[in-house]
Amino acid sequence: MIAEGERTYLIGGAADFRSVLCRFPDRKEQRTMIEFFGMRAISTATVVTVGGLGAVVIQVPARAAGFSAGYTCTVPVLGARSVTINGTLTAWPSRPAVNTRTRFRLHISRLSLRSPVAINSWSAAAEIDVSGAQSASFRLAGSGASLPAHQPVTGDLAGYWTPRVRGTHELRVGNVTLRANMPLFGDATALCTPNAPRPVLATLTVAPSHRGLRDVTR
């Protein structure tokens, strides 16, 4: 980000970065700029000011955190089954401020519970438990289209949570409910409870509130 007159420009990538360095031919000034951008590269929120419009916070999504969790699922007719859920959890923004509505996406890359018959459609919901600086829980939900028999369920669940306390929070997946519609049997619901110990899906660091800044990600 470089100030020019009353405007402040956001530097978005390597090409922009090189163009900025061209404005500072002196090597000492270039080193200063490199240190400047290097320090801010570890920040996930960038402030941009344009004329009299005020400050805007542009948030960056978190790198997806992978996990593998064991579950016991109660399935109609089949009874209790041991299941493994593999996936990733992404937060946007990755370093939210207090009272910032934060979006989460849980991508299920593999669910080892498979239906012996074809599925017309499915829906799922997962509870996310928060511990650490704040104790809370929130819900992610999603749905998918048809699946052939014996194919694993894959898809995305999404939802929002607003942290109220600054500090470090640990996120874990809790109960998962999977509903499937099958052409021969109608609707069936599988209730899945996590096995202990539950893995930490992600660690979220919540910053102090950005007072006076407008969050364009909402």
Side-chain angles (χ1 to χ4, degrees):
M1 185 172 58
I2 178 171
E4 185 177 279
E6 293 184 354
R7 297 179 181 272
T8 302
Y9 296 90
L10 172 66
I11 308 305
D16 291 336
F17 181 74
R18 287 194 296 270
S19 67
V20 169
L21 289 183
C22 291
R23 302 188 187 186
F24 296 87
D26 182 82
R27 291 194 175 187
K28 183 177 180 180
E29 291 180 333
Q30 287 189 359
R31 285 196 301 269
T32 300
M33 290 302 295
I34 291 172
E35 293 172 357
F36 178 87
F37 285 106
M39 291 177 63
R40 279 151 181 78
I42 63 175
S43 175
T44 58
T46 303
V47 178
V48 183
T49 305
V50 182
L53 296 180
V56 178
V57 177
I58 298 179
Q59 301 287 3
V60 179
R63 180 177 299 177
F67 71 93
S68 178
Y71 276 79
T72 300
C73 296
T74 302
V75 184
V77 181
L78 299 178
R81 290 289 184 271
S82 294
V83 173
T84 300
I85 299 178
N86 297 329
T88 56
L89 180 69
T90 305
W92 184 298
S94 62
R95 186 181 170 84
V98 171
N99 296 326
T100 298
R101 192 178 189 223
T102 305
R103 185 176 189 272
F104 293 87
R105 182 176 74 97
L106 178 65
H107 173 67
I108 299 175
S109 58
R110 180 178 178 271
L111 174 62
S112 63
L113 181 65
R114 305 185 183 194
S115 171
V117 297
I119 293 176
N120 289 331
S121 62
W122 63 270
S123 62
E127 297 293 329
I128 304 296
D129 296 325
V130 182
S131 61
Q134 179 181 350
S135 295
S137 64
F138 58 95
R139 183 175 179 269
L140 305 180
S143 60
S146 61
L147 285 173
H150 305 293
Q151 291 296 312
V153 173
T154 62
D156 296 323
L157 311 182
Y160 293 88
W161 175 60
T162 302
R164 304 298 182 186
V165 179
R166 62 178 293 185
T168 301
H169 304 68
E170 291 185 340
L171 280 63
R172 293 176 172 85
V173 160
N175 294 335
V176 175
T177 303
L178 178 65
R179 295 182 175 88
N181 177 268
M182 294 170 283
L184 297 178
F185 304 101
D187 293 334
T189 301
L191 303 176
C192 302
T193 56
N195 300 334
R198 291 187 294 167
V200 176
L201 273 66
T203 300
L204 192 70
T205 301
V206 178
S209 177
H210 297 299
R211 294 183 178 179
L213 302 184
R214 178 165 57 90
D215 189 348
V216 299
T217 63
R218 294 189 181 185

